[in-house]
Structure formats: structure tokens, C-alpha cells
Amino acid sequence: MRINVLVAEIGSTTTVVNAFDGIFSSCPTFVGQGQAPTTVLEGDVNIGLKGAIESLRKNIGASKIEYDELLATSSAAGGLRMTVHGLVYDMTVRAAKEAALGAGANIHQITAGRLRKSDLKKLVAIRPNIILLAGGVDYGERDTALYNAELIAELGLEIPIIYAGNIENHDDIRYIFEGTNTRLYIVENVYPKIDQLNIEPTRRVIQKVFEEHITNAPGMRKVREMVTGNIIPTPGAVMVASKLLYNEIGDLITVDVGGATTDVHSVTEGSDEINRMLISPEPLAKRTVEGDLGVYVNMKNVIERLGIDKLSDKLDVNEEIVLDLMSNYKPIPETELEKRFVEELTLEAVITAVKRHCGRFRHLYGPNGKKTIAEGKDLTNVKYIIGTGGALTRLPNRVEILKKIALSNKGNELLPTKEAKILIDNDYIMASLGVLSKKYPEAAIKLLKESLNIN
């Protein structure tokens, strides 16, 4: 059987391959899916890729699979580890952070102002894949970014550096890293003027650097032997798909509950009324990663938030049964009780993650009385709430879980309203379609709408 495009999602533990055909026609189709363990530890990811393709072959009943192209997303080899260093946290640092998260990075260190010895020690221990340097609006403060660049250059880490700060520093930054083994990328300022974010140029470069990094990471050296197109971070691919869909249907959020993290991607400008009240700008596309909220690896964190007594009441069982569920927990729930157990964990992860992502109203009191301001991301104009990831595409009550986002509002939170429509990525292909859209945007949007049951 000949297939147009395979898209591999190479995770830390599992490699999933999705097959798409008819890419050049008006009716592209999702053919099927296969999966196998990721073989990073064996030193050759191709083993896992070939295993996933073999799994796909069996699932679709083909005697043989041939393909024209293979694209990929990856979170293997620890995903994309980044550190971010800027000037003022609420300004250049936050802008740089938004750029990194939106590109699919996992941020391991954030610093504001001049780097201290303790910061440098942590940086060396983290061994990030990329270091992002920012600081100063254009033609504003220059010294902090240059000071930090000099300290990082002296470390001799041979880690790619992206500079996205004050435009006046470009020549000095080049001089600082001249003669080192550091690959330097200079992009437009992420915060060129007060209250102005410019994060897309940095996002694009981060994904470019990631693709170069991932092919050289341990266990990933041979990935290019099979992959013929783009490789982007899996969370970044979900953001790409969300932005593509936004251009078609309007303001949305995508919630991805995984075993280790819960990611929230929002693409919305918010309402004009609330924008006038915002104390600092927010990007059109925003991603947050909650590293303590997962329904498998981080299950215990979520249960601690809920409390075993409360969880047992919700499940209508005694605490001993809850403890038994915890000790015999499976990655994929099988019994009715196991599914209800995971649904309660998923609900807690969803509500907590979205509330951390959204903004809220604050009341300030002064000589002229009370003044209401808004801070953070405004989700009140969101028309669609999309569920992706294993939990929100497979659990029986996934739609009801997402409906409870609006119902959880305590009155001061800028959450979606009850009018927001729930959409489910039924084929669980949103990340794959994000990378597919880089080359075939029309086919990707058609396949995405089909998976979400959008007419």
C-alpha cells in the first residue's frame, strides 16, 4: 500500500505514526495509526519508527507500506530544554518566555537582571538545548544583556544562543561570541517597545534550532535517515495546529492532558473592553505548561490536590479502594471504576491548568475609590474549547469535563463562557496535523476539521 505522508510523533516512551493519503486532492483522508516503544536508549530511533510503521501496517491490514514522505514531531531526548534570561520579569523576560513556550520548549530556568554565580551554576547543571537572551527595549537599556552574554560566553558550553533583545546590541553580541564554538542566532527584539510583544520571529528560530539539535541528540542521530521533512517539538506542533484553526473558526483554546503535564494553548485577542483594562500586553497565541499536572507520571500530585477523602466521595468508594487504584494504576484505564478515577484526575488537571493560564480582574483602592484592572490572558471571547491528548480524546465523559471550565468561574477569572462550544480531536492527530500544515496547510485544516467534527 502506498501512502502520501506519514507523520511520526516521537515521544520519550512511545512513537506514534499517523498515515494520511489524498494530500493533493480535495478530500484528504486519515488512514490509520500505529505505535511502538521509542528506542532512544538503543541509540537508534529508527528501530522504534519502523516498529510503529509495522504496527500501522497491521492495524490497516496492508501487506506492505510504502510512503512518499515522512514528517515528525518529537519530545524524545528530554524534549526541548531552554533557559531564558532577560532584564525585567514583567517585560522582556515574560516576552521571551512566551516565545519559548509557544515554540514548544520546556523552560528549566528563568532569570531577570544580571546573572549571579548561583544562576550560572544552575545553567551549567541544566545543560539546556538552547539559551535565549533578551533585555532592553530597542534603543533602551543595553548593559544587562551584554553583561549576561559575556558571562555565558565564558562558560564555554557550546550551546546555541538566541539573542532577541535591544537592537543596539547586535554588533556587541556578535563580538562577544566571536571565536567561540557557540552557534549564535540574532533575531528581532521580543519586546521592542513598552507594551509591545514581538514573539513570532523568535518562535520560528527556536523551532529551527530545535530541529538541528534533535538530529544530534543521543539516540536521535539516525532520525534523518527516515524523516524527509520538518521535525518540530510536539507541543509546538499543537500550537501550530491551534493557530491554523483560529484562522478558520476564530478564538479558541486547546487543552492537552498528558501523563506528565497539562498544556493549554490559547489563540484569542480577548475582548476590547478587557483589553482596555489590561495592565500589560498578552500575545495572541499563548501556551502554558503545568509540569505538576499529569494523569500518569504526576498522578500523585493531582490526587494530593484533590485529597483522597474527597476523591473517594466523588467515586463513591472507600479510601482503601482509592489507594488500591493508585498502587495498581495503568496507563490506559480498563474497568469502569478505573475510567471514573482517571476522569476525576483529568477534571482537576483541566480546571487547574486553565485557571493558571487565564487572567483575572483585580480591584485597586485609592483616593478616588475603587478601580478595576485586568491582568493575564483574557479567554472570555473564546468560542471553542478543544480537547486533545490521550485523556481528552478517549475518556467517556471528556465533553462534560471540558464544559466544567466555564462553570468553575468564581467571578473574577477571565475564563471562557458557557456559550463556548466543545470540540474533541477524535482521531488524536492534532500534533501530527500541526507539522503536516507546514507543507500542506489546506489538507491539514480539512483533516483537522474532520477530526473535530466541524462541518
Side-chain angles (χ1 to χ4, degrees), residues 275-342:
N275 281 335
R276 287 192 290 269
M277 302 166 63
L278 279 176
I279 58 174
S280 59
E282 287 286 327
L284 169 68
K286 180 185 181 79
R287 170 180 172 244
T288 49
V289 183
E290 307 306 334
D292 61 329
L293 301 176
V295 293
Y296 184 61
V297 176
N298 283 319
M299 168 194 65
K300 290 183 179 179
N301 293 336
V302 181
I303 291 173
E304 276 184 22
R305 290 186 54 84
L306 279 167
I308 291 179
D309 54 343
K310 183 180 176 182
L311 185 54
S312 61
D313 289 342
K314 284 176 172 286
L315 296 174
D316 195 23
V317 297
N318 60 47
E319 293 184 13
E320 288 183 4
I321 292 178
V322 173
L323 292 170
D324 184 62
L325 285 168
M326 291 172 62
S327 59
N328 296 291
Y329 192 54
K330 304 181 183 74
I332 301 175
E334 297 171 358
T335 68
E336 185 64 30
L337 181 59
E338 288 171 349
K339 290 176 183 177
R340 287 171 53 211
F341 175 68
V342 179

Side-chain angles (χ1 to χ4, degrees), residues 257-258 295 342 346 388-396 398 401 428:
V257 178
V295 293
V342 179
T346 302
T388 191
L392 289 175
T393 60
R394 298 295 177 259
L395 289 171
R398 53 196 179 273
I401 288 171
Y428 193 4

Side-chain angles (χ1 to χ4, degrees), residues 55-66:
S55 169
L56 169 69
R57 183 194 68 76
K58 291 178 180 177
N59 290 341
I60 64 177
S63 58
K64 184 181 179 181
I65 286 184
E66 296 178 326

Side-chain angles (χ1 to χ4, degrees), residues 12 38-45 47 77 218-220:
S12 296
T38 299
T39 48
V40 172
L41 296 179
E42 286 86 339
D44 187 355
V45 176
I47 297 172
M220 299 289 289

Side-chain angles (χ1 to χ4, degrees), residues 96-156:
K97 174 186 171 186
E98 296 290 356
L101 286 172
N106 298 319
I107 299 179
H108 288 249
Q109 184 186 31
I110 296 173
T111 65
R114 292 194 167 203
L115 287 165
R116 300 181 294 272
K117 288 183 179 179
S118 59
D119 297 326
L120 294 170
K121 186 176 181 181
K122 289 176 185 175
L123 177 58
V124 172
I126 291 167
R127 293 291 298 179
N129 305 125
I130 303 173
I131 297 170
L132 176 55
L133 272 173
V137 299
D138 284 345
Y139 307 104
E141 202 273 356
R142 300 182 60 183
D143 293 342
T144 301
L146 295 175
Y147 176 85
N148 290 342
E150 287 173 349
L151 291 181
I152 290 172
E154 289 171 3
L155 295 175

Side-chain angles (χ1 to χ4, degrees), residues 138-421:
D138 284 345
Y139 307 104
E141 202 273 356
R142 300 182 60 183
D143 293 342
T144 301
L146 295 175
Y147 176 85
N148 290 342
E150 287 173 349
L151 291 181
I152 290 172
E154 289 171 3
L155 295 175
L157 296 177
E158 298 185 16
I159 292 169
I161 302 283
I162 298 174
Y163 175 75
N166 188 339
I167 193 173
E168 281 193 296
N169 282 345
H170 285 188
D171 290 341
D172 294 282
I173 291 291
R174 289 190 185 95
Y175 176 75
I176 288 169
F177 289 100
E178 194 175 58
T180 70
N181 292 323
T182 298
R183 184 169 295 184
L184 176 66
Y185 300 82
I186 294 180
V187 298
E188 296 174 26
N189 196 342
V190 290
Y191 198 80
K193 297 179 181 178
I194 297 295
D195 291 343
Q196 180 182 330
L197 300 181
N198 179 38
I199 60 183
E200 289 304 324
T202 301
R203 281 182 179 174
R204 289 193 292 269
V205 172
I206 289 170
Q207 291 188 347
K208 174 186 174 184
V209 178
F210 170 80
E211 187 163 352
E212 294 171 356
H213 142 73
I214 202 68
T215 58
N216 294 317
M220 299 289 289
R221 293 188 308 275
K222 297 183 181 180
V223 70
R224 273 295 176 201
E225 292 180 11
M226 291 184 69
V227 176
T228 58
N230 298 101
I231 306 173
I232 63 177
T234 302
V238 175
M239 176 61 90
V240 169
S242 297
K243 289 162 69 176
L244 183 71
L245 194 60
Y246 164 82
N247 293 329
E248 293 285 321
I249 65 174
D251 300 43
L252 58 86
I253 64 169
T254 302
V255 186
D256 184 348
V257 178
T261 70
T262 295
D263 292 7
V264 180
H265 306 74
S266 63
V267 192
T268 174
E269 290 184 348
S271 71
D272 291 338
E273 179 186 359
I274 292 174
N275 281 335
R276 287 192 290 269
M277 302 166 63
L278 279 176
I279 58 174
S280 59
E282 287 286 327
L284 169 68
K286 180 185 181 79
R287 170 180 172 244
T288 49
V289 183
E290 307 306 334
D292 61 329
L293 301 176
V295 293
Y296 184 61
V297 176
N298 283 319
M299 168 194 65
K300 290 183 179 179
N301 293 336
V302 181
I303 291 173
E304 276 184 22
R305 290 186 54 84
L306 279 167
I308 291 179
D309 54 343
K310 183 180 176 182
L311 185 54
S312 61
D313 289 342
K314 284 176 172 286
L315 296 174
D316 195 23
V317 297
N318 60 47
E319 293 184 13
E320 288 183 4
I321 292 178
V322 173
L323 292 170
D324 184 62
L325 285 168
M326 291 172 62
S327 59
N328 296 291
Y329 192 54
K330 304 181 183 74
I332 301 175
E334 297 171 358
T335 68
E336 185 64 30
L337 181 59
E338 288 171 349
K339 290 176 183 177
R340 287 171 53 211
F341 175 68
V342 179
E343 283 178 343
E344 292 298 338
L345 301 186
T346 302
L347 175 61
E348 180 67 19
V350 165
I351 299 299
T352 304
V354 175
K355 287 197 173 193
R356 291 177 183 175
H357 182 96
C358 79
R360 50 194 38 82
F361 291 116
R362 268 188 13 181
H363 302 301
L364 302 178
Y365 296 88
N368 298 320
K370 184 174 77 170
K371 179 183 179 182
T372 301
I373 62 170
E375 57 183 357
K377 186 71 173 177
D378 174 23
L379 304 180
T380 59
N381 261 17
V382 162
K383 299 178 179 68
Y384 300 94
I385 300 173
I386 299 169
T388 191
L392 289 175
T393 60
R394 298 295 177 259
L395 289 171
N397 291 308
R398 53 196 179 273
V399 173
E400 287 71 20
I401 288 171
L402 292 174
K403 282 182 177 178
K404 290 182 180 178
I405 292 172
L407 300 175
S408 70
N409 200 334
K410 294 180 180 178
N412 67 326
E413 295 155 329
L414 304 177
L415 288 168
T417 66
K418 290 183 286 186
E419 284 69 41
K421 186 177 180 180

